[in-house]
Amino acid sequence: NAGVTQTPKFQVLKTGQSMTLQCAQDMNHNSMYWYRQDPGMGLRLIYYSASEGTTDKGEVPNGYNVSRLNKREFSLRLESAAPSQTSVYFCASSDTGLSNQPQHFGDGTRLSIL
Amino acid sequence: AQTVTQSQPEMSVQEAETVTLSCTYDTSESNYYLFWYKQPPSRQMILVIRQEAYKQQNATENRFSVNFQKAAKSFSLKISDSQLGDTAMYFCAFVGQGAQKLVFGQGTRLTINP
């Protein structure tokens, strides 16, 4: 009963390094999302994918790229990491992307940029 | 743009007491959905309850219930007979009908004391 799986769980990078966060879901969901969580700010949407083959910007897309590799997988890439990207990153998925469908979240990736 | 505000950064109650968490939102839409998510120390985001704006009846899930006041744009969460396992961050979230993007509040840290 995995649900949404994120790897890695923790990562420390140096400024300027690149990294890809991986996310996979086994619920056959169409829509997938990437959020970042900063202290005192709740979760903010970085990118989302309404269906396989499509991606759209969220509230805070700058400095990130995404790839919807297939229906199961949605990756988030930091090309040149900056200290401002230190955060906890969550991947989520939902069945149809319709507003009333709850999103299912992974356990998060804690990323520190030095 | 929609905004969600949780005015109580932290709350603390004794086990078995009832506690109410506040949430207000701002939107010009008439149809939308509201959610409460729980984030325990394990970091996983767990859906607690959801409300559809066109339904006047307040949603309930066991010990959790909401007080949805559409005209006041208020969506509070009541936890009855609180338990130690209810200790967590609680996030209120909004999504407009047909929209993909969840908008989260800043969160309320709830501590249940023995």
Side-chain angles (χ1 to χ4, degrees):
Chain A
N1 193 16
V4 179
T5 302
Q6 292 182 235
T7 55
K9 295 192 183 303
F10 302 93
Q11 185 70 47
V12 179
L13 294 177
K14 293 181 180 179
T15 298
Q17 286 186 317
S18 62
M19 160 148 206
T20 299
L21 307 186
Q22 306 287 353
C23 175
Q25 52 91 7
D26 62 2
M27 296 172 282
N28 202 35
H29 284 171
N30 287 301
S31 300
M32 297 185 73
Y33 311 82
W34 275 106
Y35 294 89
R36 60 179 287 172
Q37 183 179 25
D38 300 302
M41 298 189 72
L43 278 74
R44 292 182 294 168
L45 184 65
I46 305 171
Y47 271 94
Y48 67 98
S49 171
S51 61
E52 186 178 355
T54 69
T55 61
D56 285 285
K57 294 179 180 179
E59 182 182 356
V60 288
N62 291 343
Y64 305 95
N65 287 299
V66 291
S67 295
R68 183 74 183 267
L69 304 171
N70 47 55
K71 192 172 185 178
R72 289 187 64 249
E73 299 173 287
F74 187 40
S75 62
L76 178 72
R77 182 161 179 85
L78 287 70
E79 289 291 352
S80 180
S84 61
Q85 294 177 304
T86 293
S87 189
V88 180
Y89 291 85
F90 286 94
C91 178
S93 70
S94 65
D95 189 6
T96 63
L98 294 177
S99 306
N100 62 339
Q101 296 298 312
Q103 294 183 14
H104 300 261
F105 288 80
D107 290 341
T109 296
R110 184 176 295 278
L111 183 61
S112 295
I113 315 297
L114 304 178
Chain B
Q2 292 91 358
T3 58
V4 177
T5 302
Q6 294 178 247
S7 59
Q8 305 151 312
E10 295 188 29
M11 297 187 71
S12 178
V13 298
Q14 296 299 118
E15 192 176 8
E17 289 183 345
T18 294
V19 60
T20 299
L21 309 182
S22 301
C23 173
T24 58
Y25 57 93
D26 186 25
T27 183
S28 58
E29 299 185 41
S30 58
N31 293 322
Y32 48 86
Y33 303 87
L34 296 160
F35 303 85
W36 277 99
Y37 281 88
K38 168 185 177 181
Q39 186 180 41
S42 65
R43 226 169 52 195
Q44 187 179 18
M45 294 286 286
I46 303 165
L47 178 66
V48 175
I49 200 166
R50 65 178 164 179
Q51 175 78 41
E52 297 165 349
Y54 60 86
K55 289 188 176 179
Q56 293 188 346
Q57 186 173 6
N58 289 325
T60 62
E61 288 286 343
N62 300 315
R63 298 183 295 107
F64 298 88
S65 61
V66 299
N67 183 4
F68 174 50
Q69 301 289 329
K70 191 173 183 180
K73 296 180 181 174
S74 171
F75 181 60
S76 59
L77 175 70
K78 185 171 83 171
I79 305 174
S80 303
D81 187 27
S82 58
Q83 300 174 0
L84 297 179
D86 296 332
T87 292
M89 283 287 289
Y90 286 81
F91 291 96
C92 177
F94 168 101
V95 63
Q97 188 174 29
Q100 292 274 350
K101 306 174 185 179
L102 267 177
V103 178
F104 284 86
Q106 306 93 320
T108 296
R109 184 177 303 279
L110 175 65
T111 301
I112 310 299
N113 299 306

